[in-house]
């Protein structure tokens, strides 16, 4: 059931805009872009849904605003921190995936949204990991970085969805331990080298 904020008689425009943004962030994270309606966002924020067009321009523009922009660029060591992984997995299981995690695994028909999502994911997650891969002198640093992001997002989303019953029912400590092991494998210099040479290498 969607919890909504009461509609005040007099609303501050900045406060209303922030309420709409917070409501959209939560709903997009829990349901995804396509399954979230403008009306639901307005109801949850306790505001007139028509104000979304006034403050943000469109639903698509509002979605782009919900994607994090802070310059976190986590280092690889942060991605391997069990506490960070556990927090991510627990949050997704309890309240649903954030827009940025959904954007990792879901393509959008709107080119503007897709471009914005790619840029936000790159600045928030991939770039910092790629830097560490390059510092370590590993080959294919960007591929390794994107695979690390995909591993974490896929495990978190798969666990929350419940379709993979063993993953959904496993203890968090075990999931975190195995996730760390998978991410650590991307630090192996030979991990992305094929066991058998391709025809071009023969």
């Amino acid at each position: 059931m969607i919890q909504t904020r009461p509609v005040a008689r007099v609303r501050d425009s900045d406060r209303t805009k922030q309420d709409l943004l917070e409501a959209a962030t939560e709903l997009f994270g829990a349901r995804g872009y396509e399954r979230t309606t403008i009306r639901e966002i307005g109801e949850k924020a306790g505001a007139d849904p028509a104000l979304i067009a006034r403050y943000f321009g469109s639903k698509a523009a509002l979605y782009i605003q919900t994607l994090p922009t802070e310059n976190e660029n986590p280092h690889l060591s942060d991605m391997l921190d069990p506490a960070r992984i556990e927090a991510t997995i627990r949050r997704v299981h309890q309240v649903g995936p954030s827009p940025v995690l959904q954007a990792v695994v879901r393509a959008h028909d709107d080119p503007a949204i897709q471009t914005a999502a790619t840029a936000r994911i790159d600045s928030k997650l991939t770039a910092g990991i790629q830097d560490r891969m390059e510092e370590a002198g590993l080959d294919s640093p960007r591929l390794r970085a994107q695979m690390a992001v995909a591993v974490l997002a896929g495990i978190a989303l798969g666990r929350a969805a419940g379709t993979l019953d063993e993953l959904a029912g496993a203890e968090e400590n075990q999931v975190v331990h195995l996730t760390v092991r998978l991410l650590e494998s991307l630090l192996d210099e030979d991990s992305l080298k094929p066991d058998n040479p391709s025809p071009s290498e023969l």
Side-chain angles (χ1 to χ4, degrees):
M1 180 178 179
I2 299 175
Q3 296 181 348
T4 61
R5 299 185 179 90
V7 180
R9 292 184 179 179
V10 179
R11 295 182 66 96
D12 176 79
S13 59
D14 289 339
R15 181 67 259 174
T16 300
K17 183 176 181 179
Q18 184 62 31
D19 287 345
L20 288 167
L21 184 61
E22 291 175 359
T25 299
E26 183 174 340
L27 289 172
F28 286 143
R31 300 181 178 181
Y33 175 78
E34 292 82 4
R35 295 174 59 192
T36 300
T37 67
I38 289 177
R39 180 179 179 180
E40 288 173 332
I41 295 171
E43 288 178 349
K44 185 168 183 62
D48 184 350
L51 292 174
I52 291 176
R54 175 179 175 182
Y55 293 135
F56 301 97
S58 66
K59 175 185 170 183
L62 174 57
Y63 177 81
I64 291 172
Q65 288 294 313
T66 68
L67 298 178
T69 57
E70 59 268 26
N71 296 319
E72 292 185 355
N73 287 346
H75 283 200
L76 182 60
S77 58
D78 296 328
M79 288 288 287
L80 295 178
D81 178 10
R84 178 185 177 92
I85 294 173
E86 181 180 359
T88 299
I89 291 174
R90 181 182 294 115
R91 181 189 181 283
V92 172
H93 186 71
Q94 292 176 347
V95 302
S98 66
V100 72
L101 267 187
Q102 290 215 25
V104 171
V105 297
R106 178 176 296 168
H108 290 279
D109 294 333
D110 189 318
I113 293 179
Q114 186 67 30
T115 298
T118 299
R120 300 291 173 87
I121 291 168
D122 190 68
S123 65
K124 182 175 175 60
L125 296 175
T126 310
I129 306 171
Q130 181 178 342
D131 289 344
R132 289 294 295 273
M133 296 289 190
E134 292 174 347
E135 290 171 5
L138 297 173
D139 65 293
S140 306
R142 186 165 180 78
L143 174 59
R144 291 174 185 264
Q146 290 185 350
M147 289 180 68
V149 173
V151 165
L152 182 57
I155 290 173
L157 293 171
R159 181 173 169 83
T163 306
L164 304 174
D165 57 342
E166 193 70 20
L167 175 59
E171 293 184 359
E172 283 187 354
N173 288 342
Q174 183 180 18
V175 175
V176 170
H177 173 72
L178 292 174
T179 302
V180 170
R181 292 282 300 275
L182 285 171
L183 293 174
E184 284 179 333
S185 70
L186 294 172
L187 285 171
D188 183 354
E189 185 176 355
D190 297 324
S191 61
L192 296 186
K193 293 181 179 179
D195 294 333
N196 299 312
S198 64
S200 63
E201 297 173 329
L202 295 177

